[in-house]
Amino acid sequence: MLLDANFTEIDTNQSVALESGPRFVVRDGSLVAWIVPESASPTTPFRIAGAHTDSPNLRLKPEPNADAVGYRRLGVEVYGGVLLNSWLDRDLGLSGRVAVRTATGTATALVFVDRPVFRIPQLAIHLDRDISERGLSLNKQQHLSPIYGLSGGELDVWDLIAESAEVSRDDIVGAELMLHDTMQSQLLGADHDFISAPRLDNQLSCHAAITALAGTTPSETIPMVTLFDHEEVGSVSATGAATSQMPRLLDEISSALGATDADRRIARENSLFISADNAHATHPNYPERHDPGHQISMNAGPVLKHNANQRYTTDAVSAGLFHLAAEHAGVSTQAFVSRSDMPCGSTIGPTVSALLGMRALDVGCAQLAMHSCREVAGSNDPWDMTLLLAELLH
């Protein structure tokens, strides 16, 4: 999408400094893209939309073959806060990357087995008569291994991986691989009110942010999009929101513009970080789990998230900027706060805001079934979010 919008990719080993125009850099599961307008000065503020690329799922262990009682199975590890039951009885594929031996070292290759190969069959109710009374209980080690064939079959999982990556099995020296739902994303509902898809948290925000940036013509700000990995497990990694990559990048851009330390302080003081991560819609079957004064609906506009304990970063000033941008964009808005007797989740907002010393807000599209293998969002909301982010970025 960025290349089609005439952005130039910068190699991670190169300095980003700096001609005006659109640039981006990719590092593993993270991406940063920005536009420096020709009119930029040492004190030009940044407008940064941030999201995360990862989603809770099941990931292969280093030695994934775990055959038992005549079945070929995979050994998997749970990544993030997974709704475990949502992965049962689904047709699953395999995706990720492998490190491959080369003549000069290693290279990476993508893996995408996008067909129904794996399945985690649920135990029949005849063998679990108490499930209706006590509920489903799943042990992460014992009950989540997918089957993909009978023991003694011709191919094992490494053969499938090598075939997809178009490499020799013997040349694979490392792997990061995960299961995914192979069912196509689609519109849902009698009037197509909803989107049914995997990984809406948080690919929806990533797509909206990139679309907004690609259509931006800045003049008074330096617009930027940051897509981080590993939010679902705490953001502490070389490509997570807690990385030093962002402060370094902002300093490089400021230095290329001739900024002094005072200029950098002024630029950051007037900058804004927009943490874009999906929000909880009020669940029709569990309305008691939500604050009664803050009912959240799908297709009712982007949701500004509040938390007095700073799990979300929205304050009075950033809320004002949000509402003015929404008015200019012509989109409706909603306000989310958790019940006072229930803790809320968090996002990359507090981490990045503290790291950069920058004012921030937390916003997202309403959805149901967050952290499920398959999630539900409003079909109008992605475009409203895109319009809002486009307004906030310039």
Side-chain angles (χ1 to χ4, degrees):
M1 291 171 65
L2 290 170
L3 291 171
D4 288 344
N6 296 318
F7 279 66
T8 299
E9 183 172 5
I10 305 297
D11 187 271
T12 53
N13 294 318
Q14 295 176 321
S15 169
V16 303
L18 202 61
E19 303 169 7
S20 61
R23 303 281 187 271
F24 73 95
V25 60
V26 176
R27 184 182 184 192
D28 297 330
S30 68
L31 179 148
V32 184
W34 67 94
I35 305 172
V36 177
E38 293 183 4
S39 59
S41 73
T43 58
T44 298
F46 295 89
R47 291 289 185 271
I48 307 172
H52 66 88
T53 61
D54 61 320
S55 297
N57 57 24
L58 305 179
R59 304 202 170 192
L60 268 63
K61 292 182 175 179
E63 297 295 337
N65 289 310
D67 294 12
V69 295
Y71 291 96
R72 305 205 113 174
R73 301 191 309 154
L74 294 181
V76 296
E77 187 175 7
V78 174
Y79 176 86
V82 177
L83 282 173
L84 299 178
N85 63 293
S86 69
W87 287 81
L88 303 180
D89 297 324
R90 290 188 182 272
D91 295 332
L92 304 173
L94 186 68
S95 48
R97 66 176 180 171
V98 291
V100 183
R101 179 187 293 107
T102 68
T104 57
T106 62
T108 57
L110 295 181
V111 173
F112 190 43
V113 182
D114 194 33
R115 57 188 177 88
V117 177
F118 309 96
R119 193 175 183 93
I120 308 171
Q122 188 169 183
L123 184 64
I125 193 169
H126 314 79
L127 305 176
D128 193 9
R129 294 287 186 181
D130 298 332
I131 189 172
S132 298
E133 286 72 38
R134 62 172 170 75
L136 177 64
S137 178
L138 295 171
N139 180 282
K140 295 178 181 180
Q141 172 69 24
Q142 188 175 354
H143 299 142
L144 294 176
S145 292
I147 60 171
Y148 68 98
L150 298 174
S151 296
E154 184 176 345
L155 301 176
D156 73 3
V157 66
W158 288 114
D159 294 312
L160 298 174
I161 293 165
E163 179 183 17
S164 176
E166 298 182 343
V167 300
S168 168
R169 168 183 174 137
D170 294 336
D171 286 335
I172 297 174
V173 291
E176 293 171 286
L177 297 159
M178 61 205 76
L179 296 170
H180 69 262
D181 182 10
T182 59
M183 183 179 175
Q184 291 295 307
S185 302
Q186 55 193 330
L187 293 172
L188 178 71
D191 298 315
H192 291 170
D193 288 329
F194 311 119
I195 300 169
S196 167
R199 300 180 297 282
L200 288 171
D201 173 22
N202 193 28
Q203 293 297 314
L204 190 161
S205 299
C206 294
H207 186 273
I210 291 296
T211 303
L213 181 67
T216 296
T217 304
S219 58
E220 298 179 357
T221 68
I222 299 173
M224 179 179 289
V225 167
T226 62
L227 307 181
F228 294 108
D229 203 352
H230 301 135
E231 188 272 349
E232 299 293 359
V233 291
S235 293
V236 181
S237 73
T239 52
T243 180
S244 60
Q245 178 185 17
M246 278 302 298
R248 289 200 310 267
L249 177 58
L250 296 190
D251 285 343
E252 284 191 57
I253 293 173
S254 295
S255 295
L257 293 170
T260 64
D261 287 343
D263 292 331
R264 288 189 180 89
R265 179 184 60 78
I266 293 169
R268 299 233 185 145
E269 188 69 25
N270 294 302
S271 296
L272 179 68
F273 181 74
I274 306 113
S275 172
D277 199 351
N278 286 1
H280 297 294
T282 301
H283 199 298
N285 297 341
Y286 302 90
E288 72 281 0
R289 300 298 181 96
H290 304 268
D291 186 83
H294 297 81
Q295 299 294 294
I296 304 300
S297 300
M298 289 189 274
N299 292 335
V303 182
L304 185 63
K305 297 189 271 188
H306 301 261
N307 180 257
N309 295 302
Q310 293 298 296
R311 298 289 285 170
Y312 301 129
T313 56
T314 306
D315 63 12
V317 176
S318 63
L321 295 172
F322 168 86
H323 288 298
L324 288 176
E327 288 177 10
H328 292 156
V331 301
S332 301
T333 63
Q334 307 179 80
F336 172 85
V337 66
S338 291
R339 285 178 58 101
S340 299
D341 55 0
M342 292 181 65
C344 71
S346 190
T347 69
I348 62 173
T351 300
V352 177
S353 178
L355 199 62
L356 299 180
M358 188 177 293
R359 190 180 303 281
L361 61 85
D362 273 275
V363 64
C365 289
Q367 73 161 89
L368 294 171
M370 189 177 288
H371 289 196
S372 174
C373 182
R374 196 167 188 88
E375 300 171 324
V376 178
S379 54
N380 294 332
D381 286 333
W383 184 240
D384 281 349
M385 177 63 77
T386 301
L387 294 175
L388 175 65
L389 291 179
E391 188 68 35
L392 285 167
L393 285 173
H394 72 70

